[in-house]
Amino acid sequence: MIVKDVSAPTVETLRSDILHHLIYAMGKDADHASVYDWRMALSFAIRDRIVTPWFAATKQTWDQGRKRVYYLSMEFLIGRMLEDAAINLGMRAVAREAIESLGQDWRAVVEDEPDAALGNGGLGRLAACYMESMATLGCAGYGYGIRYEHGLFKQGFDHGRQVEAPEDWLKQRHPWEFERPEVAYEIGFKGGVEKQGGKSVWHPGETVIAEAFDMPIIGWQGRWANTLRLWSAKSTQIFDLARFNHGDYAAAAEPEALARTLSRVLYPDDTTYQGKELRLKQEYFLTAAALHDIIYRHQAAGLSLADLPKYVAIQMNDTHPAIAGPELVRILTDLHGMPFDQAIGIAVETLGYTNHTLLPEALERWATYLMGAVLPRHMQIIEAIDAWHLRNNPSRPHYVGIVKHQEVRMGELAFITSHKVNGVSALHTELIKQNLFPELNKLHPGRIVNETNGVTPRRWIRAANKDLSYLISDTIGDVWEADLDRLGELEKHVEDKSFRDAFAAAKHKNKVALSNWIGETQGVKVDPAALFDVQVKRIHEYKRQLLNILQTIAEWNEIRTNPQGSYLPRVKIFGGKAAPGYQAAKEIIRLINDVAFVINNDPYVGDRLKVVYPANYNVSMAERLIPASDLSEQISTAGKEASGTGNMKFAMNGALTIGTLDGANVEIREQVGADNFFLFGLTAAEVMERRKDPEHARHAILASQSLQDVLQMIAEGRFSPDEPTRYHGLVHNMWHSDYFLVASDFDAFRAAQAEVDAAFGDPERWWRMAALNTARMGFFSSDRAIRGYMADIWGTESAL
Ligand SMILES: *Cc1c(COP(=O)(O)O)cnc(C)c1O
């Protein structure tokens, strides 16, 4: 066990370290330094204190011959790192004092850091939380991903419409990474396969270099640190000097430019799958580089490949790295001469697969001609794995298998090449067993397990919600950050009025700060005493932002038709990006902005209802909004949201949930208690039943006068007077299709919102409920989730 000396430095020491880096790393003196220079100097001063525990953890893992976990993910949605690192090192207060003593504003320096937005949404953010929890728990391991030059696009609004601009996080120096030019592997694509005796030899037609960039990930109290290793693509051929000398400058730089496209941009869609060659190449690029690295490390320790599963656990975050199975088999057989049956056995024992979605349009399937062209040897191995599986499972039905209808189904491939397949909430795992892989589940009972998602309380409470953190620590001690179940000790204080008042005061303070920010950035004045009703997440039909905005219109209608009524003021806050090619989602964004414009400028309504939609939702905005939220909207069509993690962040921070029985909402409600959760809507089983009625939409709309009125207003162009027909398609779809059952759940949603009003109007009751939410959310720490993976899937133990 290592407990390094991470006692915080004194303000004086840190101050002189900052000045040192300012001068010698940034080349500036204090009189001429910009906020950027100060931020870099501070980051380097903090980074210096990560390096020692990082080296110590690496050395201990080698010395003890520990099994390592490798988390392969195409996305890591990290956000900012500076404040999180300072907090985990126990030096936020000192850092703040030091930087302020140098005349700088702490928040301005912290907020100068661009988000590392190497992910789309929940899946990528989960990977980031899991990296932090692995470091906190002393679970030795690496994260492997791609160092995209451009992360998720920046969202803007032009007359309410989403516009996308490229993201540029690497335009400035990235102080948290170390380039490793000596860690580089050649990755091949295309070409052909040659039979030499009994052996297959792949001769790639194209190659690129994968170069490593390492980011240390420091755990709570600096007791352990792991590495997030991101791969950057480089050309094998640096530069064509002959062409340059001929004056053909563009062509001379071509090989470099072509290679770099591989790590140039993150695919900005997480809910539909497109069979694009570049995406397949990115997936193989990540996976092959990671496996080379893993095998290299294993052999450098003098270990036999037959022992790989004893020392290596590889987790595939969704099917994106599912080529890992065939690649590992290829390495073991073609490169190391192992018999096929032994190789596939080792692959299965080593690999685990996390499924993140049941949406059919999101399940990866690659045309066999594309797989065969890009990865010809892997295509052969995939067919061999499929045949091996059928041989060993002769009762397998004919319609089950990896290769069907000239497509490679990555879900089946990942399942068959893994010893454990996990869902991400109890409900989701059940639905995987029943609907997604029923036959494979029968053939491999026990392979499917559940690991309900979690989020790190260090970032999502301690860093994002300072006042609540102080209240918790003052009440139960500084014990909860690494042992979130201890939040339960708050429960006995919930009956204490002074505790509830302090809880409400912390929330109010966050709401005041958010109101100021909204006023400054959105030009909308909102009352911090109003109920802050927040839905922030990717925009998708299944997440039903449409249901939320239709209900908002209904409330507006109510205020207008009955202006004397008493209404609790509400601020409806939306946030989220749509995939650039997802027209239906973009239409919803435009509708929300159109409705916001009309409502916010309606003098009859005044403070009673406001709608705000700040552009470019990302991790930093989540950290600002969630601690200031009263109500968390988790209203997906039941059966569609695998887990959700936004739902957890809100409830931990004392927001009450209005939600359906979907994903982890089910378990959140069990934990916080049904009385402290606003439930509405059809269940997953009822959804399937309801869809059997081809006229469900029409029936539901005809049964709801208020929904009819709302749809009528939209159809008449009340929110788009310059173009009254703008939403005719949307309204038509509501009447005639409504696949996500917005109409069927509309009245129930409004009724639940009325209950929310009643509860918020009774502060005693509201703050009891809110505080109980925080007290009972311990289960949703990502530490609990990672312990589950370690015990059930990885077979590893903490090094601490
Ligand atoms: C947590 C988080 C998500 C996931 O939110 P869901 O509501 O679970 O979909 C997406 N984006 C960001 C920036 C997040 O922080």
Side-chain angles (χ1 to χ4, degrees):
M1 161 148 160
I2 53 156
V3 182
K4 278 290 135 196
D5 177 19
V6 291
S7 54
T10 63
V11 174
E12 291 67 37
T13 317
L14 191 65
R15 187 187 143 99
S16 86
D17 289 0
I18 294 169
L19 282 170
H20 178 90
H21 286 295
L22 187 74
I23 295 164
Y24 297 104
M26 303 311 294
K28 288 285 184 81
D29 65 40
D31 293 336
H32 299 95
S34 64
V35 175
Y36 165 75
D37 297 318
W38 286 113
R39 198 246 305 166
M40 294 304 249
L42 174 61
S43 299
F44 289 133
I46 289 173
R47 191 182 75 176
D48 289 348
R49 289 170 168 80
I50 294 178
V51 170
T52 307
W54 188 31
F55 288 177
T58 305
K59 182 169 186 311
Q60 185 182 333
T61 305
W62 278 100
D63 290 350
Q64 297 180 342
R66 286 196 161 272
K67 184 169 188 174
R68 294 181 183 86
V69 174
Y70 296 100
Y71 198 85
L72 268 58
S73 180
M74 284 288 279
E75 303 191 10
F76 287 90
L77 186 49
I78 297 164
R80 294 180 178 135
M81 304 195 71
L82 201 171
E83 192 166 23
D84 239 43
I87 283 175
N88 275 2
L89 290 168
M91 53 185 284
R92 176 164 65 175
V94 168
R96 181 181 184 138
E97 236 184 280
I99 204 78
E100 284 175 350
S101 80
L102 290 159
Q104 301 304 305
D105 178 65
W106 168 254
R107 291 259 41 105
V109 170
V110 164
E111 290 176 14
D112 181 66
E113 182 178 356
D115 273 35
L118 309 183
N120 275 286
L123 174 146
R125 185 52 236 173
L126 185 77
C129 282
Y130 282 3
M131 287 305 298
E132 199 270 356
S133 273
M134 283 167 65
T136 289
L137 294 173
C139 171
Y142 282 72
Y144 281 119
I146 293 178
R147 182 177 179 270
Y148 301 105
E149 263 175 68
H150 304 284
L152 188 60
F153 67 87
K154 277 194 199 146
Q155 179 195 54
F157 295 134
D158 175 20
H159 296 91
R161 270 177 297 194
Q162 171 172 296
V163 287
E164 299 103 24
E167 188 278 344
D168 243 343
W169 73 300
L170 289 177
K171 212 164 77 182
Q172 301 174 333
R173 264 173 94 180
H174 182 52
W176 304 104
E177 71 181 6
F178 294 92
E179 186 172 1
R180 306 288 191 213
E182 77 284 10
V183 183
Y185 301 101
E186 196 169 292
I187 311 294
F189 302 99
K190 304 199 172 175
V193 182
E194 189 195 357
K195 271 269 180 223
Q196 287 180 353
K199 279 179 78 178
S200 295
V201 181
W202 175 27
H203 300 290
E206 290 173 14
T207 53
V208 299
I209 302 285
E211 189 198 344
F213 286 73
D214 287 350
M215 280 160 73
I217 306 289
I218 186 84
W220 175 242
Q221 291 180 330
R223 299 172 69 206
W224 189 264
N226 285 324
T227 304
L228 174 57
R229 176 161 279 186
L230 301 179
W231 301 101
S232 181
K234 290 206 327 192
S235 174
T236 27
Q237 201 190 337
I238 293 302
F239 195 68
D240 193 333
L241 193 60
R243 277 171 142 175
F244 187 86
N245 289 337
H246 274 99
D248 194 352
Y249 307 123
E254 217 170 73
E256 177 66 11
L258 261 176
R260 275 176 52 194
T261 55
L262 267 186
S263 54
R264 184 99 62 191
V265 285
L266 166 76
Y267 270 81
D269 193 353
D270 56 352
T271 42
T272 49
Y273 147 81
Q274 312 158 350
K276 290 270 166 52
E277 178 179 318
L278 178 61
R279 170 72 182 194
L280 178 59
K281 284 174 138 183
Q282 284 187 335
E283 294 182 352
Y284 180 63
F285 173 75
L286 157 67
T287 307
L291 283 172
H292 273 296
D293 208 35
I294 292 165
I295 299 285
Y296 168 81
R297 195 171 295 112
H298 185 75
Q299 295 198 308
L303 297 167
S304 142
L305 289 173
D307 285 336
L308 198 70
K310 272 196 216 156
Y311 295 96
V312 170
I314 299 173
Q315 191 65 28
M316 300 184 281
N317 196 22
D318 213 319
T319 57
H320 313 149
I323 198 69
E327 173 69 356
L328 188 48
V329 170
R330 185 185 75 85
I331 294 171
L332 296 176
T333 56
D334 292 1
L335 306 186
H336 294 280
M338 192 182 276
F340 177 86
D341 280 24
Q342 190 192 356
I344 182 70
I346 286 173
V348 170
E349 268 193 87
T350 306
L351 293 166
Y353 157 46
T354 303
N355 174 277
H356 281 275
T357 183
L358 305 164
L359 298 179
E361 65 270 29
L363 294 172
E364 288 188 297
R365 294 166 282 112
W366 295 100
T368 48
Y369 79 84
L370 186 65
M371 185 68 83
V374 176
L375 299 170
R377 178 62 185 138
H378 297 78
M379 190 63 234
Q380 294 175 344
I381 292 172
I382 289 167
E383 281 173 337
I385 292 172
D386 212 5
W388 164 82
H389 185 256
L390 184 57
R391 240 183 359 259
N392 286 289
N393 300 276
S395 66
R396 189 177 97 175
H398 67 88
Y399 52 88
V400 177
I402 302 170
V403 185
K404 293 284 155 189
H405 311 296
Q406 277 99 53
E407 286 185 323
V408 180
R409 305 196 295 196
M410 300 304 269
E412 278 79 358
L413 175 63
F415 191 116
I416 285 170
T417 57
S418 295
H419 69 291
K420 285 286 188 294
V421 175
N422 76 284
V424 289
S425 73
L427 173 66
H428 170 65
T429 300
E430 268 320 295
L431 294 174
I432 292 178
K433 288 182 186 168
Q434 287 165 23
N435 302 338
L436 191 60
F437 297 128
E439 298 88 357
L440 288 173
N441 182 42
K442 259 187 229 131
L443 294 174
H444 304 283
R447 185 173 295 190
I448 301 178
V449 296
N450 179 54
E451 302 298 344
T452 297
N453 283 168
V455 300
T456 168
R458 275 75 63 183
R459 180 179 289 263
W460 292 107
I461 305 178
R462 178 76 194 233
N465 199 341
K466 207 165 108 234
D467 289 288
L468 179 61
S469 301
Y470 289 168
L471 173 62
I472 297 171
S473 293
D474 286 349
T475 310
I476 63 173
D478 232 341
V479 293
W480 52 277
E481 292 96 333
D483 185 4
L484 205 65
D485 287 329
R486 294 193 63 172
L487 287 181
E489 293 168 23
L490 292 172
E491 235 182 89
K492 56 179 179 285
H493 300 275
V494 169
E495 284 315 308
D496 175 355
K497 170 122 172 53
S498 67
F499 175 78
R500 290 200 307 273
D501 287 348
F503 193 92
K507 180 67 78 180
H508 186 73
K509 202 166 152 195
N510 295 332
K511 289 172 72 179
V512 170
L514 181 61
S515 303
N516 294 338
W517 181 81
I518 288 173
E520 284 159 23
T521 61
Q522 311 299 306
V524 180
K525 219 178 122 291
V526 300
D527 177 3
L531 187 154
F532 283 16
D533 168 340
V534 183
Q535 185 173 24
V536 287
K537 47 182 75 249
R538 286 302 286 260
I539 308 297
H540 199 288
E541 289 163 284
Y542 86 78
K543 293 178 182 274
R544 296 202 297 192
Q545 283 91 358
L546 183 58
L547 175 60
N548 195 4
I549 196 65
L550 296 181
Q551 181 263 339
T552 305
I553 297 171
E555 293 320 304
W556 179 60
N557 239 346
E558 178 101 29
I559 296 171
R560 301 223 8 142
T561 44
N562 184 11
Q564 309 311 332
S566 81
Y567 298 94
L568 278 175
R570 263 204 206 218
V571 182
K572 284 273 186 184
I573 301 173
F574 291 84
K577 300 175 186 180
Y582 188 179
Q583 291 313 322
K586 289 181 136 177
E587 198 167 34
I588 294 167
I589 289 178
R590 194 175 189 190
L591 177 63
I592 297 169
N593 280 320
D594 280 348
V595 169
F597 184 81
V598 170
I599 293 181
N600 294 345
N601 291 294
D602 181 351
Y604 288 103
V605 173
D607 264 358
R608 289 181 285 190
L609 186 59
K610 292 284 177 208
V611 183
V612 289
Y613 190 167
N616 204 39
Y617 177 63
N618 58 12
V619 171
S620 300
M621 195 190 291
E623 290 166 8
R624 188 188 295 283
L625 296 179
I626 291 169
S629 300
D630 295 308
L631 187 66
S632 160
E633 298 270 357
Q634 307 299 339
I635 61 178
S636 51
T637 312
K640 293 290 175 191
E641 187 76 87
S643 163
T645 47
N647 47 4
M648 301 167 188
K649 302 167 198 165
F650 279 99
M652 280 178 189
N653 281 284
L656 300 184
T657 306
I658 184 166
T660 48
L661 279 181
D662 202 14
N665 291 356
V666 177
E667 290 152 86
I668 291 176
R669 180 167 169 269
E670 277 166 15
Q671 293 287 328
V672 305
D675 291 345
N676 305 305
F677 187 107
F678 299 99
L679 179 70
F680 77 97
L682 301 174
T683 63
E686 288 165 350
V687 164
M688 290 203 256
E689 194 56 36
R690 176 102 190 139
R691 284 218 186 95
K692 290 182 185 157
D693 173 4
E695 304 234 59
H696 62 81
R698 209 169 61 82
H699 292 153
I701 297 171
L702 291 175
S704 169
Q705 187 60 49
S706 111
L707 181 55
Q708 274 176 61
D709 294 347
V710 168
L711 293 176
Q712 182 67 22
M713 290 166 73
I714 298 172
E716 282 171 3
R718 287 286 289 280
F719 307 101
S720 53
D722 53 325
E723 187 195 351
T725 60
R726 184 175 297 158
Y727 298 110
H728 278 189
L730 186 148
V731 172
H732 183 272
N733 183 60
M734 278 294 300
W735 278 94
H736 298 285
S737 163
D738 189 22
Y739 181 74
F740 294 99
L741 299 166
V742 169
S744 296
D745 274 344
F746 184 80
D747 282 347
F749 183 49
R750 283 203 76 199
Q753 290 285 16
E755 285 176 42
V756 170
D757 273 334
F760 196 67
D762 177 356
E764 286 278 293
R765 179 170 162 220
W766 183 272
W767 294 112
R768 187 175 281 113
M769 292 168 79
L772 282 175
N773 264 260
T774 297
R776 295 175 177 173
M777 281 296 290
F779 180 75
F780 299 96
S781 167
S782 42
D783 298 344
R784 184 270 311 148
I786 289 297
R787 283 199 186 92
Y789 280 88
M790 290 169 75
D792 308 338
I793 301 177
W794 300 337
T796 56
E797 281 171 8
S798 169
L800 294 174

